[in-house]
Amino acid sequence: MPTTPRQLQFGVFFQGVNSGTVWKLPQSGSQTDFDSFRRLAQTAERGLFAAFFLGEGLRLREHLGRIHELDVAGRPDGQTMLAALAAVTSRIGLVATQNTTYNDPADLAHRLASLDLLSGGRAGWNAVTTDNAWTGANFRRGGYLDHADRYTHAAAFVRTAKEIWASWPAGADGPGRPVHHEGAHYTVDYAARLPQSPQHRPVLFQAGDSADGRDFAAREADVIFSAHPGFDAAMAFRADLTERVLRAGRAEDAVKIMPASEFILGATRAEAEEKRQWVRSLQIGPQQAVAYLEQFWGRPLSSYDPDGPLPDAAPVVASSSETRGSGFHGAKTEELTRRWRQEAAEQNLSILEFVRSRTGRTDGTFVGSYAEVADRLADYARAGAVDGFNISPWLIPTGLDDIVNHLVPELQERGVYPAQYRGSTLRENLGLSLPDVSGEPVAAEDGNRLLIPS
């Protein structure tokens, strides 16, 4: 147990293509207009958020072979949008998800260094990889990496980027050592074109949850986006990651933990609970519920009543595809649908009720009055369970207003949230040390099996 509580940090995740953002309300904003991004980022900065985080969508999601019309759909290029946001913000970090599979390491390292430099040291990179041919078809290289090769390719990619950023030493008048990498998929002979930013290099984020993903974060990352926001699960994740970080020879607190989360708040518990039910009804209505099942049955189910029982028909596909996203990928449909029918019948759940029970966030949702939720978060801070939370607003661009206007002051009163930014860089505001970029080059060999899950 820490002797003093941690200072929790907040990040905001502007998701783009997703099924959780409410898009049917009059106040629902555009997912592509710059003003939506500006409004959300400036609200987050007013609330002293550490980071503004953009996802990456290399292809729109599909449903039964067609573009899925019930998703929010929109995702401008992350680095372009963050560069624009750098001009209208001054402290908040700017984090882009960028794929190692369909980028070139020298080019991406330069573009990220450019964002880091022009923002005054506020850039971050969430490194991911993709191996499915459906996404790759947009790049003329669908499925060119098999599942194992994408890991080794990504490991070499990240380490090459780190070496490029380290090759121009801080304070030096000109570029230092050249960077050379020769591997199975690319060859790099590079001389840096930019000096280091005030934080030396972009902050590296990672979102893997497998054993390999946690090991990668322990060795290479600065921040990990956790999938374990529940208190007990967060404590277990902290203990596991700390052990891996120490085993990797790094300081115990070298990798910050920020689980994904959702906040539904009100002046009272009753008001927040009523709002929760309303939000869920907008996120998952009758059409969304039927479409959810269609992905696993592999066939249209519009003839079934959303208020009736689950379909008794057998699925027409053996496994579900990745075209609606990773959460729908690879399920053994006959076994799954049989189990679902049994579960829904035992609990007397309709299609709509069943899908809401499966898709409605529970572990990662904080529902309650401002004071009640602040008390819960203070428990996380005092126990050292997490370093903060990465928040997905259910409404764009006003979804942070309740948090910034009411929850943040409650947390500040409890001494578990910053009263001001620590500094001008993302690394400072996350409480991260400057990286050691003055030593020998980091090896970047294709034989290193490190995982960076998508």
Side-chain angles (χ1 to χ4, degrees):
M1 294 283 290
T3 55
T4 57
R6 292 176 184 269
Q7 288 277 297
L8 296 176
Q9 304 287 340
F10 282 163
V12 57
F13 179 22
F14 193 117
Q15 296 185 78
V17 175
N18 76 99
S19 56
T21 301
V22 174
W23 55 273
K24 295 182 177 180
L25 295 175
Q27 60 267 44
S28 298
S30 169
Q31 300 289 304
T32 56
D33 288 352
F34 177 71
D35 199 57
S36 292
F37 294 82
R38 179 200 59 76
R39 169 76 158 78
L40 195 68
Q42 290 181 339
T43 300
E45 188 167 71
R46 179 166 60 86
L48 303 177
F49 278 46
F52 181 91
F53 169 51
L54 290 179
E56 179 185 63
L58 299 182
R59 185 164 181 156
L60 288 179
R61 290 201 276 226
E62 296 178 7
H63 180 71
L64 301 183
R66 302 178 64 183
I67 297 298
H68 186 42
E69 296 180 347
L70 298 176
D71 261 357
V72 169
R75 194 172 272 163
D77 173 68
Q79 287 180 251
T80 304
M81 180 59 69
L82 293 176
L85 290 174
V88 295
T89 58
S90 61
R91 288 291 185 269
I92 194 167
L94 306 166
V95 185
T97 300
Q98 295 286 282
N99 201 292
T100 61
T101 306
Y102 300 114
N103 275 295
D104 176 87
D107 177 61
L108 181 59
H110 179 70
R111 286 189 281 118
L112 287 167
S114 298
L115 177 62
D116 203 28
L117 200 60
L118 69 85
S119 66
R122 293 190 283 140
W125 173 29
N126 179 40
V128 299
T129 187
T130 301
D131 69 336
N132 69 72
W134 171 74
T135 298
N138 274 0
F139 299 89
R140 298 180 297 155
R141 291 181 290 167
Y144 84 101
L145 285 175
D146 68 29
H147 195 69
D149 281 351
R150 70 177 184 141
Y151 301 160
T152 56
H153 174 274
F157 191 113
V158 170
R159 292 186 173 185
T160 301
K162 281 188 171 183
E163 190 174 346
I164 287 171
W165 294 328
S167 66
W168 189 321
D173 293 332
R177 59 178 182 270
V179 175
H180 176 75
H181 169 81
E182 187 168 348
H185 302 288
Y186 54 81
T187 298
V188 173
D189 282 296
Y190 187 82
R193 291 173 280 164
L194 290 173
Q196 292 176 6
S197 79
Q199 67 171 0
H200 288 193
R201 64 164 172 78
V203 173
L204 185 62
F205 290 71
Q206 202 263 347
D209 196 37
S210 68
D212 285 336
R214 296 184 189 194
D215 280 340
F216 172 82
R219 287 191 295 265
E220 304 289 349
D222 301 303
V223 182
I224 186 166
F225 288 141
S226 156
H228 304 283
F231 185 84
D232 291 341
M235 290 294 291
F237 185 86
R238 165 72 74 185
D240 179 77
L241 186 67
T242 297
E243 181 181 340
R244 295 172 192 270
V245 168
L246 292 173
R247 194 162 58 235
R250 301 177 69 187
E252 179 178 346
D253 205 30
V255 182
K256 304 300 181 182
I257 300 172
M258 298 183 72
S261 58
E262 177 189 54
F263 288 81
I264 302 177
L265 307 171
T268 65
R269 172 75 188 187
E271 181 183 311
E273 180 57 35
E274 183 179 353
K275 184 187 289 188
R276 183 193 68 81
Q277 295 178 16
W278 174 68
V279 169
R280 293 291 181 259
S281 72
L282 293 169
Q283 290 172 325
I284 303 294
Q287 288 179 287
Q288 287 90 348
V290 170
Y292 181 90
L293 296 187
E294 287 176 338
Q295 187 69 12
F296 297 96
W297 264 259
R299 47 165 289 186
L301 299 172
S302 57
S303 61
Y304 288 86
D305 183 359
D307 293 316
L310 266 65
D312 53 6
V316 298
V317 293
S319 63
S320 54
S321 76
E322 70 275 350
T323 60
R324 278 279 299 279
S326 58
F328 294 87
H329 185 211
K332 297 179 179 179
T333 57
E334 186 174 348
E335 175 186 335
L336 180 71
T337 56
R338 183 170 58 247
R339 186 170 71 249
W340 281 0
R341 278 193 294 266
Q342 180 180 350
E343 180 183 334
E346 289 174 350
Q347 299 180 38
N348 194 30
L349 297 176
S350 67
I351 289 175
L352 183 56
E353 292 168 332
F354 178 79
V355 174
R356 283 180 180 168
S357 73
R358 289 196 56 80
T359 58
R361 297 174 179 173
T362 53
D363 193 37
T365 299
F366 293 89
V367 181
S369 70
Y370 309 120
E372 179 184 6
V373 171
D375 285 339
R376 287 182 61 191
L377 298 186
D379 288 339
Y380 281 76
R382 294 186 185 105
V386 301
D387 295 287
F389 295 89
N390 196 40
I391 300 170
S392 297
W394 50 267
L395 187 64
I396 297 295
T398 59
L400 294 182
D401 290 5
D402 268 4
I403 296 170
V404 171
N405 295 338
H406 301 290
L407 180 61
V408 164
E410 293 275 359
L411 293 170
Q412 289 170 331
E413 285 184 9
R414 289 159 177 77
V416 297
Y417 193 85
Q420 60 185 7
Y421 280 110
R422 297 181 186 181
S424 61
T425 71
L426 175 57
R427 193 171 294 278
E428 286 175 290
N429 291 322
L430 287 170
L432 294 165
S433 301
L434 287 173
D436 179 11
V437 294
S438 59
E440 292 299 312
V442 179
E445 300 177 359
D446 280 353
N448 295 324
R449 290 184 53 80
L450 300 180
L451 173 64
I452 311 176
S454 59

